[in-house]
Amino acid sequence: MRRVGVHETRFKVYGNDDVVALFARAREYEYNLLEINGERLLSLSPLGLKRISLEARNFQLDLSYSLTLGPLYDLSSLDEEVRKRGLSTVEKIIRNIGQMGGGSLNGPFYTAFPPLLHMESQKDRLFEQSVGSLRSLANIAVDEDVLLNIRPVNRYEHFFLNTASDALQFVRAVNHPGCGIDLDTFHMNIEESNMLAAFEQAGYYLHCIHIRENNGQAVGSGTLPWALVKERLDLMHYAGPLVHAPEAMKIAPFEGKQIRRLLC
């Protein structure tokens, strides 16, 4: 059965300075995976990392990690100092995930957020820089039992990778088993002419799916065809996680269980 997870921002209303405090919340709402911000790991000591790992195990909770990078850490930058700073930062996150037992690092961390719009005309050069960066990081990630999953986002948030087809082109250019695809149903609803076909297009490389409605809110509060999504994922034998990442703060009882019933 697919793991059903939730992103830590779902619990922002409770305060989340200490991620361990969210483990009980995730289990209360019947999730079996929590995705946490990878930047958290940069400031933690080895003991702090071990504590998170052990507490997650105590709660029978898997962990995954998400990441975006600002312009000063841009892995696609034409400025080598900026790119090297980004490489060093992501490498540290990867190695810390490795210390915690490995896992997946998901998100649009292949370029800068917010986008540097004046660079859109040089998208091809940025693409080459980013591919080189991810190939280098994937070599490290494999040794640490970490999988890097890159996420396309809609055109209103960035110009770099917008569709499953774009992500597939990127991952094939990286050409490394440590690099896969993470699709987000909110972005897919905006960009894909056929969402169901887009899942199949990602195919073998699809290792993570972030789920939320067409309005960015909780599953079940919008119009996305979840029964058809489940049918397509079943046909693909998709066994990766489904990470609930809505913008809405209100959490319904048994939320994870309800999502599991819809999509597992």
Side-chain angles (χ1 to χ4, degrees):
M1 181 176 287
R2 300 178 190 112
R3 289 169 295 161
V4 175
V6 62
H7 194 277
E8 66 163 277
T9 52
R10 189 81 174 111
F11 302 106
K12 188 177 292 185
V13 67
Y14 299 107
N16 56 356
D17 291 337
D18 180 8
V19 70
V20 170
L22 303 182
F23 292 175
R25 290 290 181 183
R27 294 300 290 163
E28 178 184 352
Y29 292 103
E30 301 203 22
Y31 290 106
N32 51 27
L33 178 148
L34 180 69
E35 184 162 283
I36 64 179
N37 187 342
E39 289 183 14
R40 285 182 177 275
L41 308 186
L42 292 170
S43 60
L44 292 174
S45 67
L47 281 176
L49 296 171
K50 186 174 183 179
R51 172 176 172 262
I52 291 175
S53 178
L54 288 175
E55 288 294 337
R57 198 173 305 160
N58 288 339
F59 279 94
Q60 298 182 313
L61 196 65
D62 291 331
L63 297 176
S64 64
Y65 309 86
S66 61
L67 184 65
T68 57
L69 295 170
L72 293 179
Y73 302 90
D74 183 2
L75 294 179
S76 69
S77 179
L78 304 183
D79 182 330
E80 276 301 297
E81 289 303 312
V82 171
R83 195 175 76 92
K84 288 177 181 177
R85 188 185 303 124
L87 285 168
S88 176
T89 298
V90 181
E91 178 180 346
K92 183 175 181 181
I93 292 172
I94 290 169
R95 293 199 185 280
N96 284 350
I97 294 172
Q99 286 189 50
M100 297 168 69
S104 63
L105 181 62
N106 310 311
F109 53 88
Y110 43 80
T111 191
F113 277 77
L116 302 175
L117 296 178
H118 66 282
M119 296 299 293
E120 184 170 5
S121 62
Q122 300 194 62
K123 180 178 173 179
D124 289 346
R125 293 181 66 196
L126 299 179
F127 187 95
E128 291 177 7
Q129 288 286 86
S130 185
V131 164
S133 295
L134 266 291
R135 189 178 294 140
S136 174
L137 291 168
N139 284 324
I140 298 166
V142 166
D143 291 339
E144 299 290 344
D145 198 22
V146 175
L147 184 60
L148 307 177
N149 296 317
I150 59 99
R151 181 190 311 154
V153 301
N154 71 77
R155 75 194 82 171
Y156 305 109
E157 295 188 27
H158 215 291
F159 58 81
F160 200 103
L161 301 177
N162 303 130
T163 64
S165 178
D166 293 340
L168 187 61
Q169 180 186 6
F170 184 90
V171 169
R172 283 176 171 167
V174 174
N175 191 29
H176 195 290
C179 186
I181 294 175
D182 163 29
L183 293 179
D184 184 309
T185 56
F186 172 76
H187 297 295
M188 296 175 78
N189 180 67
I190 295 171
E191 293 294 341
E192 304 290 354
S193 57
N194 185 328
M195 179 187 292
L196 302 180
F199 285 124
E200 286 195 354
Q201 191 169 29
Y204 168 82
Y205 297 99
L206 181 59
H207 297 302
C208 182
I209 300 174
H210 281 75
I211 53 172
R212 46 184 171 152
E213 282 286 358
N214 58 297
N215 54 13
Q217 296 183 16
V219 167
S221 63
T223 61
L224 290 186
W226 296 110
L228 294 178
V229 169
K230 179 185 184 302
E231 181 180 307
R232 187 59 57 98
L233 296 181
D234 288 346
L235 287 172
M236 293 171 57
H237 303 289
Y238 174 75
L242 302 168
V243 181
H244 200 205
E247 298 171 2
M249 290 296 107
K250 186 176 180 181
I251 304 173
F254 313 114
E255 188 174 272
K257 183 178 181 179
Q258 291 167 353
I259 293 172
R260 198 172 291 110
R261 186 169 62 247
L262 278 173
L263 290 167
C264 294

